[in-house]
């Protein structure tokens, strides 16, 4: 089997430098889950096209539907009181673009005037499917930018800089801890940083400050739950599970899915290390982006044998089936699953 080719990661700072030095291009496609950076780039792009933010030279189309005739007119219209015209299409359902609309779109993309910048922006809900003809046509003509979550070093520096802007400092390991608890999306991290900075009594934001204020993702609690089971701290694990079930937004089926995912990662990590696979290979296999999460995963898997982890994975799959197909109370089944996993530890 041919080795899967890795996509080149977006260099945001290089893109900003290129925009400022070379000016805007005629056609862009912006997509990906990291909406904070995407919106920051859009602000720069609009300013580069129309520095005065003149409404006559900026036009925006919103929503899944799009009138191709109106888009063609907007692109062809001459700019007023500025050198360029900027047209933005946000969250168009390009995956559903077929037949006549697809043909008209291809005509528009092939003939964007030199004085116009046309930018297609897709949120996660309208992520472009590269297999469709319309998306292929757009990718062929456009400068494509996929805004994915930042790597560990860049995101850690960004968290520290956000704290610094608020007059606070944070240890790099505690910045990583906040990312672990609250996720790696920048827009989600901003309020968590602000809460921790406001709560901290001193200049230094501590881990205790983060624990007191941070919104914890269920994934982080499930990680801690398996840590408690690995350390045979069953009372602490039971309390965590009760807290998770006490949150009405956490359905037992969803929690079991997260538990199953964590157990599969632990098994893959243990098996990969036993096979002497590289750290990078194991991280890719487990779907882990950050070194500090890999280290936590390794520590969580260490007390278990491969046989124990395999049995736990099977149990999670069995209870997933029972929750979805037997009509039994999912909460009761999850508690039963917890007892059986604890018995395996």
């Amino acid at each position: 089997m041919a080795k899967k080719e890795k996509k080149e990661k977006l260099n945001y700072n290089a893109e900003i430098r290129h925009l400022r030095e070379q000016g805007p291009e005629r056609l862009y496609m912006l997509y990906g889950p990291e909406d904070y950076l995407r919106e920051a780039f859009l602000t720069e792009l609009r300013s580069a096209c129309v520095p005065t933010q003149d409404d006559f030279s900026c036009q925006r189309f919103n929503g899944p539907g799009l009138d191709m005739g109106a888009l063609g007119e907007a692109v062809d219209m001459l700019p007023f009181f500025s050198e360029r015209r900027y047209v933005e299409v946000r969250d168009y359902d390009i995956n559903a673009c077929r037949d006549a609309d697809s043909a008209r779109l291809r005509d528009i993309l092939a003939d964007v005037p030199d004085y116009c910048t046309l930018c297609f922006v897709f949120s996660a809900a309208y992520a472009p499917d590269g297999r469709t003809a319309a998306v292929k046509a757009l990718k062929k003509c456009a400068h494509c930018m996929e805004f994915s979550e930042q790597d560990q070093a860049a995101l850690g520096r960004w968290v520290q800089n956000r704290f610094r802007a608020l007059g606070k400092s944070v240890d790099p390991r505690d910045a990583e801890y906040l990312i672990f608890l609250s996720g790696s999306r920048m827009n989600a991290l901003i309020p968590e940083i602000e809460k921790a900075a406001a709560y901290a009594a001193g200049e230094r934001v501590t881990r205790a400050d983060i624990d007191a204020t941070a919104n914890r993702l269920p994934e982080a609690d499930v990680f801690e739950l398996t840590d408690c089971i690995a350390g045979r701290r069953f009372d602490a694990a039971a309390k965590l599970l009760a807290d998770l079930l006490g949150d009405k937004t956490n359905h037992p089926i969803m929690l079991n899915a997260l538990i199953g995912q964590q157990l599969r990662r632990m098994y893959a990590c243990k098996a990969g290390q036993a096979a002497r696979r590289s750290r990078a290979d194991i991280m890719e296999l487990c779907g882990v982006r950050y070194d500090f999460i890999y280290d936590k995963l390794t520590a969580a898997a260490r007390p278990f044998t491969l046989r124990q982890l395999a049995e736990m994975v099977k149990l999670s799959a069995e209870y997933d089936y029972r929750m979805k197909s037997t009509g039994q109370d999912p909460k009761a089944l999850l508690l039963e699953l917890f007892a059986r996993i604890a018995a395996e530890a």
Side-chain angles (χ1 to χ4, degrees):
M1 181 182 293
K3 188 173 182 180
K4 185 178 179 182
E5 185 178 345
K6 291 185 178 179
K7 290 189 294 185
E8 186 175 347
K9 188 175 179 62
L10 176 73
N11 186 329
Y12 178 78
N13 291 329
E15 291 286 356
I16 290 293
R17 283 196 303 272
H18 183 271
L19 175 63
R20 291 173 178 174
E21 293 170 3
Q22 304 298 323
E25 300 187 29
R26 289 188 298 173
L27 186 59
Y28 288 86
M29 181 174 82
L30 277 53
Y31 63 106
E34 184 42 75
D35 46 3
Y36 176 86
L37 286 181
R38 189 186 67 226
E39 295 304 316
F41 182 82
L42 276 169
T43 298
E44 290 271 354
L45 179 60
R46 282 191 291 264
S47 180
C49 291
V50 188
T52 61
Q53 292 301 297
D54 173 35
D55 290 340
F56 290 106
S57 294
C58 290
Q59 192 165 349
R60 177 167 160 174
F61 296 86
N62 292 303
L66 181 62
D67 184 329
M68 291 298 170
L71 177 63
E73 291 176 3
V75 168
D76 289 337
M77 188 179 298
L78 291 169
F80 290 91
F81 309 114
S82 64
E83 294 184 2
R84 295 193 68 79
R85 179 164 172 76
Y86 175 76
V87 179
E88 182 176 300
V89 179
R90 187 177 286 262
D91 281 345
Y92 167 55
D93 191 0
I94 194 170
N95 299 327
C97 182
R98 298 288 189 273
D99 303 329
D101 275 350
S102 182
R104 180 69 178 113
L105 177 62
R106 289 196 296 271
D107 289 341
I108 294 170
L109 299 178
D111 196 27
V112 177
D114 290 337
Y115 55 76
C116 180
T117 289
L118 172 59
C119 182
F120 284 83
V121 187
F122 301 100
S123 67
Y126 293 95
D129 183 345
R131 297 169 297 179
T132 65
V135 175
K136 288 178 181 178
L138 181 54
K139 283 188 172 183
K140 183 178 179 180
C141 302
H143 181 66
C144 299
M145 299 172 64
E146 181 178 6
F147 291 84
S148 57
E149 295 170 351
Q150 295 294 284
D151 62 34
Q152 178 178 329
L155 190 58
R157 287 194 300 270
W158 179 81
V159 170
Q160 290 177 281
N161 289 336
R162 294 289 302 197
F163 274 117
R164 194 173 296 117
L166 296 170
K168 301 287 184 178
S169 64
V170 66
D171 186 274
R173 289 169 296 183
D174 292 334
E176 292 176 349
Y177 180 65
L178 176 60
I179 296 166
F180 169 70
L181 288 185
S182 300
S184 53
R185 297 280 293 275
M186 290 177 165
N187 269 339
L189 283 169
I190 289 172
E192 307 307 323
I193 293 168
E194 292 172 346
K195 286 189 295 182
Y199 181 85
E203 182 273 336
R204 190 79 163 179
V205 175
T206 66
R207 185 164 295 204
D209 298 325
I210 293 170
D211 278 328
T213 60
N215 177 49
R216 298 172 64 98
L217 294 175
E219 291 90 332
D221 284 326
V222 166
F223 215 126
E224 189 174 345
L225 177 71
T226 54
D227 281 350
C228 289
I229 293 173
R232 291 172 170 76
R233 302 190 306 276
F234 299 121
D235 288 346
K239 183 181 183 305
L240 266 173
L241 184 59
D243 290 343
L244 285 166
L245 286 169
D247 184 342
K248 295 187 184 300
T249 63
N250 293 332
H251 193 279
I253 292 177
M254 181 270 286
L255 292 175
N256 183 37
L258 293 176
I259 290 170
Q261 178 188 57
Q262 177 69 355
L263 292 171
R264 289 191 299 274
R265 284 176 171 173
M266 291 164 65
Y267 178 84
C269 181
K270 189 91 171 180
Q273 290 171 343
R276 300 186 181 278
R277 299 287 296 273
S278 70
R279 183 187 185 99
D281 282 347
I282 298 172
M283 288 178 68
E284 182 177 1
L285 180 65
C286 296
V288 171
R289 296 172 54 85
Y290 303 116
D291 288 330
F292 66 90
I293 294 181
Y294 172 83
D295 292 337
K296 287 179 69 67
L297 191 63
T298 297
R302 187 175 297 122
F304 299 108
T305 66
L306 275 174
R307 186 205 65 79
Q308 286 176 308
L309 290 170
E311 186 59 33
M312 292 177 187
V313 170
K314 290 178 184 176
L315 284 171
S316 177
E318 173 191 331
Y319 277 80
D320 178 72
Y321 174 79
R322 289 174 62 182
M323 287 179 188
K324 294 175 179 176
S325 63
T326 64
Q328 293 177 269
D329 178 15
K331 181 176 179 180
L333 286 173
L334 187 64
L335 293 171
E336 183 181 318
L337 170 64
F338 168 75
R340 292 188 64 180
I341 287 177
E344 282 289 330

